[in-house]
Amino acid sequence: MPRVIQKGLSDDELVQFLQRLQSIGQDFWQRNWRESMALPEDLPLHDHEAITRFLLLRTLLNQQGDTNKVRELVRALFAAFKRQLLDEPLKVVSQFYEVLAVFYRVGGEKGAKIYRVGALGGIKPLSLFLYRFAAFAFFISGLDRLLYEIVEDKLQQGVHNLWAFFRDDPILNGGWVGNDPKAVRMLTNWLIWLFGAIWRKVDVNLEDTLMVVDGHVDKVFCRAGAVKTVVYEPQRPFIIVAKDIRSGIETLVKGAPQAIPMFVDEGAFTIAMNWCFETQPNCAECPIRTACLAGRGSDEHLRWSAYRQNLP
Ligand code: SF4
């Protein structure tokens, strides 16, 4: 893969950049965590087991999906099947025509509003939904104790134990996408937040949380100059190769004093969704403009994009 070494932020500028992202991300998280998780109104927050199971289904289905549509889908599934969806998902499997009705109602005739599968070589949206739902149903049915208790135990032993538990489970492994699924990182952060800040069951240091680092987060780091070595696609110059940059960003954030990875990650994602668009980013109104080299006028930095060709 081609790569370039670009001008980077100074040490002081980098600290300022991360602090601003963290502040934006923390604010967003505290106001929106419930909506991000798509928790149904009639699923009580004190029902720890149900919430934990719901979030597992939510993250499995979220992979490669349109996030807003996946939120709608999991809420619609819960509205249709209520607690049975979470308590006895194999019984829900036995009513699968009703599940399909919900899937197509939310996702359109072929489910393509939920999963856009154009680049996936003939795989259907329904196929993506089926194997993820099956992984959830089989995993829940095989539990010999409450999932909530397992999560609490794992978390007591450290964030990495919880992360590895979900990532490496032999059944869930069939439902995750890739070897280091972003969805597992998202699930781990959500559970840390609930078990620590909301339910106060486990004392977790938020500095141990994980970066999710999707392509949009990568893009903000590259445009800002926080990433100096940028790897990009050979066929489509200036589209960054997110997976080759992710670990560098995670190491960078982990090494910054008092940085909280999940808030920094959320902050960068918020910037990407509201100002740092693929084409025509709104630098003039971006709240981190002074901490970003592209925002300060560097076209060399501004050219990077996550998914769409963004020729200068
Ligand atoms: S200043 Fe511009 S390039 Fe930098 S993060 Fe904001 S929108 Fe993106």
Side-chain angles (χ1 to χ4, degrees):
M1 290 285 179
R3 60 188 63 214
V4 295
I5 298 175
Q6 63 177 6
K7 181 173 185 274
L9 295 169
S10 69
D11 290 348
D12 286 349
E13 288 171 330
L14 184 60
V15 168
Q16 190 189 32
F17 168 76
L18 294 176
Q19 284 176 343
R20 289 204 192 170
L21 290 184
Q22 180 157 316
S23 165
I24 291 166
Q26 183 166 8
D27 181 58
F28 180 91
W29 189 284
Q30 285 170 334
R31 283 189 289 111
N32 295 303
W33 62 269
R34 212 177 157 136
E35 176 58 26
S36 294
M37 295 176 188
L39 297 178
E41 291 292 326
D42 52 346
L43 184 57
L45 197 54
H46 60 76
D47 191 338
H48 300 160
E49 180 66 13
I51 295 272
T52 306
R53 292 182 181 201
F54 181 87
L55 290 180
L56 173 60
L57 179 62
R58 160 89 176 82
T59 46
L60 277 163
L61 295 182
N62 197 67
Q63 302 170 101
Q64 297 168 310
D66 177 287
T67 297
N68 286 330
K69 276 290 173 186
V70 173
R71 284 194 193 121
E72 188 182 338
L73 174 63
V74 286
R75 281 182 170 138
L77 287 169
F78 184 76
F81 298 99
K82 299 293 181 193
R83 288 297 304 255
Q84 195 178 42
L85 176 73
L86 308 172
D87 295 345
E88 301 174 293
L90 279 186
K91 288 199 175 157
V92 172
V93 168
S94 70
Q95 311 160 60
F96 216 77
Y97 284 108
E98 291 172 46
V99 175
L100 289 182
V102 174
F103 177 73
Y104 288 123
R105 194 171 73 236
V106 174
E109 192 184 347
K110 295 186 174 165
K113 289 183 186 170
I114 302 171
Y115 299 114
R116 283 186 289 272
V117 292
L120 297 178
I123 292 177
K124 298 171 183 167
L126 176 60
S127 307
L128 298 189
F129 174 69
L130 277 177
Y131 82 79
R132 289 144 197 208
F133 193 90
F136 172 75
F138 294 152
F139 172 79
I140 294 295
S141 304
L143 288 173
D144 56 8
R145 55 192 286 230
L146 292 175
L147 181 58
Y148 164 78
E149 292 176 357
I150 298 173
V151 169
E152 187 173 2
D153 284 354
K154 297 290 178 189
L155 211 41
Q156 301 276 16
Q157 298 160 29
V159 167
H160 277 66
N161 280 280
L162 179 61
W163 179 24
F165 165 71
F166 282 115
R167 184 192 59 208
D168 300 338
D169 178 84
I171 295 174
L172 291 179
N173 187 34
W176 301 127
V177 175
N179 294 327
D180 181 8
K182 292 194 289 287
V184 181
R185 290 167 173 259
M186 186 165 82
L187 176 62
T188 303
N189 283 349
W190 280 348
L191 292 172
I192 290 169
W193 176 255
L194 287 173
F195 278 75
I198 305 300
W199 294 334
R200 308 226 176 257
K201 290 286 181 185
V202 185
D203 191 15
V204 193
N205 184 349
L206 292 182
E207 292 179 25
D208 293 335
T209 53
L210 306 173
M211 298 283 292
V212 177
V213 194
D214 77 348
H216 291 296
V217 171
D218 277 313
K219 173 184 66 188
V220 170
F221 273 73
C222 291
R223 286 180 174 174
V227 168
K228 291 181 186 166
T229 303
V230 183
V231 185
Y232 59 94
E233 292 187 11
Q235 308 302 335
R236 299 186 297 170
F238 313 128
I239 296 183
I240 56 183
V241 180
K243 67 179 176 50
D244 289 352
I245 299 174
R246 179 200 284 181
S247 67
I249 291 178
E250 190 165 42
T251 304
L252 182 80
V253 174
K254 283 274 180 199
Q258 297 174 333
I260 296 178
M262 73 180 207
F263 291 151
V264 173
D265 191 85
E266 191 71 54
F269 189 74
T270 302
I271 291 290
M273 291 299 103
N274 293 286
W275 296 278
C276 202
F277 309 123
E278 289 286 273
T279 56
Q280 300 184 317
N282 184 5
C283 297
E285 295 181 27
C286 177
I288 64 164
R289 182 171 59 83
T290 57
C292 168
L293 293 180
R296 280 161 30 196
S298 170
D299 286 341
E300 179 198 5
H301 292 79
L302 193 60
R303 63 185 167 170
W304 302 119
S305 70
Y307 302 106
R308 285 191 207 146
Q309 209 137 7
N310 184 28
L311 294 170

